[in-house]
């Protein structure tokens, strides 16, 4: 019964989305399974794309297409998109509203995470409220497990960025946990 209800909700959401903008819906169908039809992922394994900056989304999609950023699921999914499709999909997700997840951050870790974010000057790139701007991503309200994984990937060199890599190398597991509580709770 539960899966049938979920299937009906998903079908209704996809139908409403297709009616609103059939061209974009068709281009981003493959995104919905992991990132949600409106860009709000239901899984901590995948980032929410809703409210993300268009420039950041375009840059990341192109990085997956060229292999500069590696992911066995993303590269084939975006490989079929034209340059205009990439822009259209990015504009669609950027125009959506990120919803607050069900994660309940620990208040003590939020305080510690906020202090670490201030000390490491996260807002210098990610802007006030960590909402991103231009090529700098919105990280506020991303899912806790996703934030932890990305920071550890930067720290270990799995994900490469000239700013985030060196910064993440200075973070302990405990600091990453505190930052993730703070960021996910914004």
């Amino acid at each position: 019964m539960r899966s049938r209800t979920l299937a009906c909700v998903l079908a209704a959401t996809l139908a409403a989305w297709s009616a609103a903008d059939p061209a974009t819906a068709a281009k981003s169908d493959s995104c919905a399974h992991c990132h949600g039809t409106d860009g709000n992922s239901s899984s901590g394994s995948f980032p929410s794309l809703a409210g993300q900056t268009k420039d950041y989304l375009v840059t990341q999609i192109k990085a997956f297409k060229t292999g500069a950023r590696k992911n066995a699921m993303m590269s084939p999914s975006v490989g079929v998109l034209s340059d205009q499709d990439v822009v259209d999909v990015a504009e669609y997700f950027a125009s959506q509203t990120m919803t607050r997840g069900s994660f309940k951050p620990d208040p003590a870790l939020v305080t510690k995470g906020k202090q670490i974010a201030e000390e490491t000057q996260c807002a210098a790139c990610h802007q006030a409220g960590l909402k991103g701007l231009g090529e700098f991503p919105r990280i506020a309200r991303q899912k806790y497990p996703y934030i932890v994984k990305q920071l550890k990937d930067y720290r270990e060199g799995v994900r490469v960025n000239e700013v985030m890599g060196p910064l993440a190398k200075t973070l302990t597991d405990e600091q990453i946990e505190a930052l993730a509580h703070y960021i996910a709770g914004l």
Side-chain angles (χ1 to χ4, degrees), residues 80-160:
V80 298
L81 299 176
S82 70
D83 287 346
Q84 186 59 53
D85 292 341
V86 169
V87 171
D88 291 346
V89 168
E91 285 177 345
Y92 172 77
F93 285 120
S95 72
Q96 302 303 302
T97 301
M98 182 181 275
T99 58
R100 188 172 302 280
S102 60
F103 178 73
K104 302 290 184 219
D106 178 288
L109 288 174
V110 168
T111 300
K112 185 176 178 182
K114 182 177 182 181
Q115 179 183 359
I116 295 166
E118 289 169 356
E119 290 169 359
T120 57
Q121 301 178 358
C122 296
C125 295
H126 297 285
Q127 303 298 300
L130 307 181
K131 293 181 180 178
L133 180 66
E135 74 271 13
F136 297 105
R138 174 191 182 116
I139 56 176
R141 291 191 188 168
Q142 282 294 349
K143 304 277 192 278
Y144 170 82
Y146 181 77
I147 298 165
V148 170
K149 181 176 184 332
Q150 296 311 301
L151 288 172
K152 287 182 177 182
D153 282 356
Y154 280 123
R155 184 179 67 189
E156 305 305 322
V158 173
R159 187 165 176 193
V160 180

Side-chain angles (χ1 to χ4, degrees), residues 10 14 17 24-42 46-49 57 61 73-74 77-78 80-81 85-86 88-90 92-93:
L10 181 58
L14 286 172
W17 187 19
T24 302
K27 293 174 189 176
S28 55
D29 275 348
S30 65
C31 308
H33 181 71
C34 299
H35 301 288
T37 56
D38 64 351
N40 285 289
S41 174
S42 61
F46 308 108
S48 288
L49 305 180
L57 289 171
I61 293 169
M73 288 176 23
M74 282 297 300
S77 296
V78 299
V80 298
L81 299 176
D85 292 341
V86 169
D88 291 346
V89 168
Y92 172 77
F93 285 120

